[in-house]
Amino acid sequence: MTDAETDAEAIEEIAAGYAFTGPALELGAALRGTTVHPDAQVRIPLGVLNRHGLVAGATGTGKTKTLQLIAEQLSAQGVPVFLADVKGDVSGIAAPGAPSERLTARAAEVGQRWSAQGCPTEFYALGGQGAGIPIRATVTGFGPLLLAKVLELNETQEASLGLVFHYADRHGLELYDLKDLTAVISFLTSPEGKEELRTVGGLSSATAGVILRSLTVLENEGAGAFFGEPEFDTAELLRTAADGRGTVSVLELPAVQDRPRLFSTFLMWLLADLYQDLPEVGDPDRPKLVFFFDEAHLLFKGASKAFLEAITQTVRLIRSKGVGIFFVTQTPKDVPSDVLAQLGNRVQHALRAFTPDDAKALKATVSTFPRSSYDLSEVLTQLGTGEAVVTVLSERGAPTPVAATRLRAPQSLMGPIGEAALRAAVEASPLTPKYRDAIDRESAYEKLTARPEAAEPAPAPREPDRPEREERDGGKAKEEGGLIGSLLSSPALKSFARSAGTQLGREISRSLFGTSRRKR
């Protein structure tokens, strides 16, 4: 068989393998050698986006533009998207793209009908460090496992931190911000606190000192602004615009680039929180949300065994909640094999082989693809910017043929929209009044500072939406008197009732990552 016949057969196989019947996202046209074949379109079925994916490639090969291309098509299909903007150049997705001769030629080459169009977009910033709407989490909501990752604690220190959270839950000591957690740890290492802690375990002074020093470093780096109230409701990420398009949520991260461990762990908190709140939906015809995890290697670097197990579980289980996760990184080796095995859709941009380590990474990457007629070791080093090797899951869940692809151009602006436009968009958002201003309520710090005896179980704070009901029920209890009144006034029963909204609610719902469920 001649080379031309081999190429023709490969293109025919690709065209058939990506000819889906249902709605799909258009990635580009098949590439064989230097020839583009617009009759062989490479696509991803909308219904398999919750099977997760990987976008990988060396720096400068076009990974960010691929995210933008996929995200704007998801939005057009009514699917909300979350994007982490690490370098500050994804904000252009909110504005129509700028036409050019080069763009027009590329669109014609891959069979794309290009038109300039932006997406409905919300801009966020961690703790308000940036122009976006502040995203905050309470320390309790964040949970001990994720916080241990941020603080770089070992397994023993991580277990001790979990004990601190457990104690605070049992004793009605609300952990809203870092000073609350610091106050509880300081109390538990005091003579009085040590006596209290004997009922649930011990906390050594050395371990407490390590945790306190780590918290001080974290706060000095400006991370204190990330913890507090109002805590961000991750249900905001599931919104759609009035015209039915999915909202694209862009999290600005340039202001915290020097704290990669923090922002990568915060992204994991968002996923963990979504996991707890979303109902099981199985395999829907379209995802509820697609989450792009940029610079994914930062999440896994130096992670504890427990943390890696939690990530693997989240990736495996959140699929049935209708959420898709795309990890974005330089090589598949950056992602643990147990996680990589869960990623059904692959877009692999060019890799370099300048060093022995590069060559090993290339070989490992090639080994993760299905067998194909391409010499992937050669193809992956010769791809140009905006080209990638693709394989996804078909509508029946089987891998599609491996296809070298010249990708389509995004229809939104390929670059930042500018600070003035970004600030205007944030000011116009209906979410800004809800989350802009920080709140500092009475919590563990105030209770332990004002009343050292507050180590005794304290009443849990009533949730804002039920004070009238509690007052009404309390009034009834007072009126009933007799045996029932005596029971209701029992200290033991009161202690149980107080803890029901804190201890049981938090510890039962604090699942994979130790995060605490909020009442929606």
Side-chain angles (χ1 to χ4, degrees):
M1 184 178 290
T2 66
D3 289 344
E5 289 173 333
T6 300
D7 289 349
E9 184 176 310
I11 292 300
E12 185 177 341
E13 180 186 13
I14 290 171
Y18 290 86
F20 309 122
T21 57
L25 309 183
E26 306 289 342
L27 290 182
L31 185 65
R32 195 76 184 182
T34 59
T35 305
V36 181
H37 297 267
D39 54 329
Q41 290 293 311
V42 178
R43 313 158 76 210
I44 305 180
L46 193 60
V48 304
L49 268 295
N50 68 327
R51 302 296 183 92
H52 313 314
L54 176 73
V55 179
T59 301
T61 55
K63 298 191 297 293
T64 301
K65 299 301 179 287
T66 298
L67 302 190
Q68 197 167 337
L69 173 67
I70 297 174
E72 63 186 22
Q73 292 189 64
L74 284 167
S75 174
Q77 296 272 8
V79 178
V81 176
F82 179 92
L83 291 174
D85 190 4
V86 176
K87 297 182 290 293
D89 55 3
V90 182
S91 60
I93 198 167
S100 66
E101 290 184 8
R102 183 178 177 183
L103 192 152
T104 302
R106 185 184 188 92
E109 188 178 40
V110 299
Q112 176 185 12
R113 294 182 180 179
W114 190 91
S115 61
Q117 186 174 22
C119 301
T121 307
E122 293 282 6
F123 295 100
Y124 298 98
L126 288 184
Q129 296 207 3
I133 299 163
I135 289 183
R136 302 181 185 89
T138 62
V139 171
T140 288
F142 202 72
L145 189 53
L146 285 175
L147 189 57
K149 162 71 172 173
V150 174
L151 298 176
E152 302 182 44
L153 304 182
N154 62 32
E155 291 188 4
T156 300
Q157 295 157 355
E158 182 180 299
S160 296
L161 184 63
L163 180 63
V164 172
F165 273 72
H166 175 74
Y167 179 87
D169 285 350
R170 288 188 61 187
H171 290 76
L173 298 172
E174 300 86 355
L175 303 178
Y176 293 146
D177 51 31
L178 293 183
K179 72 177 186 296
D180 290 326
L181 181 58
T182 299
V184 173
I185 296 173
S186 298
F187 170 76
L188 292 178
T189 54
S190 69
E192 182 183 0
K194 286 181 179 179
E195 292 296 322
E196 287 290 326
L197 200 56
R198 285 182 180 177
T199 59
V200 289
L203 176 65
S204 72
S205 298
T207 298
V210 170
I211 297 173
L212 287 172
R213 286 193 295 273
S214 298
L215 287 171
T216 300
V217 171
L218 188 66
E219 191 157 19
N220 288 341
E221 290 179 345
F226 305 149
F227 295 97
E229 294 187 298
E231 185 170 62
F232 183 71
D233 186 345
T234 51
E236 310 285 11
L237 304 179
L238 305 175
R239 297 162 58 230
T240 56
D243 59 5
R245 289 185 294 166
T247 298
V248 178
S249 299
V250 177
L251 178 63
E252 301 174 81
L253 292 171
V256 292
Q257 281 195 58
D258 57 338
R259 280 160 282 161
R261 187 182 300 269
L262 180 63
F263 76 67
S264 65
T265 311
F266 247 93
L267 298 186
M268 211 66 224
W269 166 75
L270 291 175
L271 272 181
D273 197 72
L274 283 165
Y275 173 81
Q276 291 185 62
D277 292 320
L278 289 173
E280 294 282 340
V281 294
D283 284 316
D285 58 357
R286 64 185 61 224
K288 289 187 173 183
L289 173 71
V290 177
F291 193 102
F292 289 91
F293 215 122
D294 203 1
E295 301 292 338
H297 64 282
L298 300 174
L299 177 68
F300 304 108
K301 184 178 179 181
S304 68
K305 181 180 178 181
F307 188 80
L308 290 176
E309 289 175 351
I311 293 174
T312 304
Q313 278 189 295
T314 300
V315 173
R316 182 181 297 120
L317 298 176
I318 204 169
R319 176 181 69 81
S320 63
K321 305 291 185 103
V323 176
I325 307 169
F326 273 71
F327 291 95
V328 186
T329 190
Q330 294 194 7
T331 76
K333 287 183 65 178
D334 295 333
V335 181
S337 57
D338 287 344
V339 176
L340 193 63
Q342 307 297 320
L343 312 182
N345 304 297
R346 297 278 302 278
V347 181
Q348 177 67 59
H349 288 263
L351 291 174
R352 310 304 179 203
F354 298 143
T355 68
D357 287 343
D358 290 343
K360 288 181 182 179
L362 175 62
K363 184 177 180 180
T365 299
V366 170
S367 69
T368 62
F369 278 91
R371 296 181 62 182
S372 74
S373 60
Y374 289 98
D375 181 352
L376 291 180
S377 296
E378 180 179 348
V379 171
L380 285 173
T381 59
Q382 296 180 353
L383 291 170
T385 302
E387 297 175 348
V389 171
V390 177
T391 180
V392 302
L393 294 179
S394 69
E395 291 168 312
R396 61 185 183 87
T400 58
V402 175
T405 307
R406 183 158 295 171
L407 299 168
R408 295 185 171 211
Q411 297 185 129
S412 53
L413 183 64
M414 290 186 280
I417 58 173
E419 186 174 344
L422 192 153
R423 291 187 179 279
V426 172
E427 285 299 319
S429 171
L431 300 181
T432 296
K434 183 176 180 181
Y435 295 107
R436 177 176 51 204
D437 299 324
I439 301 171
D440 188 10
R441 291 195 291 164
E442 183 187 45
S443 50
Y445 173 80
E446 287 79 13
K447 290 180 178 180
L448 292 174
T449 301
R451 298 186 298 117
E453 70 274 17
E456 294 296 325
R462 292 183 305 185
E463 296 180 16
D465 58 340
R466 52 178 196 175
E468 293 182 2
R469 187 185 69 197
E470 292 186 351
E471 290 176 7
R472 182 182 66 246
D473 292 346
K476 287 183 179 179
K478 290 178 181 179
E479 291 172 2
E480 288 176 3
L483 178 60
I484 294 177
S486 299
L487 288 172
L488 289 175
S489 63
S490 163
L493 190 56
K494 284 185 176 181
S495 177
F496 175 81
R498 281 195 298 262
S499 65
T502 53
Q503 178 191 354
L504 294 177
R506 290 171 184 163
E507 295 203 18
I508 291 174
S509 66
R510 184 174 281 150
S511 57
L512 296 177
F513 282 97
T515 56
S516 178
R517 183 186 298 273
R518 285 190 308 275
K519 184 177 178 64
R520 297 297 186 196

